[in-house]
Amino acid sequence: MNQRLSIHDALCALALGACTLTAQAQSVAMSGGMGSKALLVINGGAPKALAAGDEHKGVKVVSVSSDATVVDVGGKRQTVRLGGAPVSLGGSGGGGSASQIVLTAGSGGHFMTQGTINGKSVDFMVDTGATTISLSADDAKRLGIKYEGGQKAMSQTANGTRVVYVVRLNSVRIKDVEVYDVEAVVGDAPMPFALLGNSFLTRFQMKRENDIMTLTKKP
């Protein structure tokens, strides 16, 4: 009886471990190609050459082209583009309670990523030289941010001095990491993406190794 209980307990532990692994989100980026194989960076690890049908660390490759790879994690498919920001798949999709963000530099050396502001989708570029998160007026309107009620300030840019509005963002989320009450500025100049500045970045310990940036949330 004791042996049966031990085997049962071991099987339960294995099942629980498998569920835990499935629940964790996977970060996947495409760093290159090798004929019919894609070089994929999974969770910030070393690039792995994978062909259609291959599976590695819970990520299954569905199809490979010269500039994109379709992957599947737990039945959820997404396209990962060459040199693009890593995509996050799997996970429970709620809470934002993780503590680490892993980003891979794109072909231009910039760290690009998708995220959300106040629960709405935003494309970010990491900018360690920016004091705060920076948004265009168009993005702010799309996000429902009433920036014109914020404090006016002057910002020095490459195109001269511009008026900006200082606002507070309820939440900013990158992958499965979410922080709250983050300062940002909104300006009239059009921007292809939002700048992820130090009002967000200083809440993390930052480590960079070659093309991998790891942000670990401070306690």
Side-chain angles (χ1 to χ4, degrees):
M1 178 66 70
N2 288 339
Q3 185 178 11
R4 288 180 181 176
L5 285 174
S6 297
I7 294 173
H8 178 269
D9 290 346
L11 289 174
C12 287
L14 287 171
L16 179 60
C19 290
T20 302
L21 287 172
T22 301
Q24 293 175 348
Q26 301 282 67
S27 170
V28 185
M30 182 178 178
S31 62
M34 297 176 60
S36 63
K37 295 185 177 182
L39 289 173
L40 298 184
V41 177
I42 300 174
N43 294 334
K48 180 78 172 178
L50 299 170
D54 290 345
E55 186 169 348
H56 183 61
K57 294 185 177 180
V59 177
K60 183 176 181 178
V61 177
V62 178
S63 64
V64 177
S65 66
S66 60
D67 61 353
T69 302
V70 177
V71 297
D72 182 298
V73 176
K76 182 180 178 181
R77 293 188 179 188
Q78 193 157 336
T79 300
V80 184
R81 302 199 176 277
L82 177 63
V87 300
S88 182
L89 299 97
S92 59
S97 58
S99 61
Q100 192 173 84
I101 302 167
V102 179
L103 302 175
T104 304
S107 56
H110 299 295
F111 290 91
M112 310 292 298
T113 185
Q114 292 180 328
T116 65
I117 290 177
N118 299 348
K120 296 183 179 180
S121 178
V122 177
D123 291 326
F124 286 106
M125 184 182 79
V126 175
D127 186 353
T128 57
T131 304
T132 68
I133 287 176
S134 183
L135 299 168
S136 68
D138 288 342
D139 269 343
K141 291 173 183 175
R142 180 179 62 83
L143 297 169
I145 299 170
K146 298 179 179 179
Y147 64 91
E148 291 175 330
Q151 179 184 352
K152 281 188 178 182
M154 303 303 293
S155 175
Q156 188 66 41
T157 71
N159 296 319
T161 303
R162 293 181 179 273
V163 175
V164 295
Y165 297 85
V166 181
V167 297
R168 307 295 299 190
L169 307 176
N170 294 333
S171 69
V172 178
R173 177 168 175 159
I174 306 295
K175 301 185 184 298
D176 290 326
V177 181
E178 190 166 17
V179 297
Y180 302 92
D181 190 26
V182 184
E183 185 175 278
V185 296
V186 179
D188 290 332
M191 299 169 60
F193 36 71
L195 299 180
L196 193 64
N198 287 314
S199 56
F200 179 89
L201 297 174
T202 53
R203 303 196 187 188
F204 296 82
Q205 296 286 350
M206 185 184 301
K207 180 181 179 182
R208 177 171 179 176
E209 294 182 350
N210 299 320
D211 289 339
I212 303 296
M213 177 183 288
T214 304
L215 301 173
T216 303
K217 200 171 184 181
K218 294 178 181 178

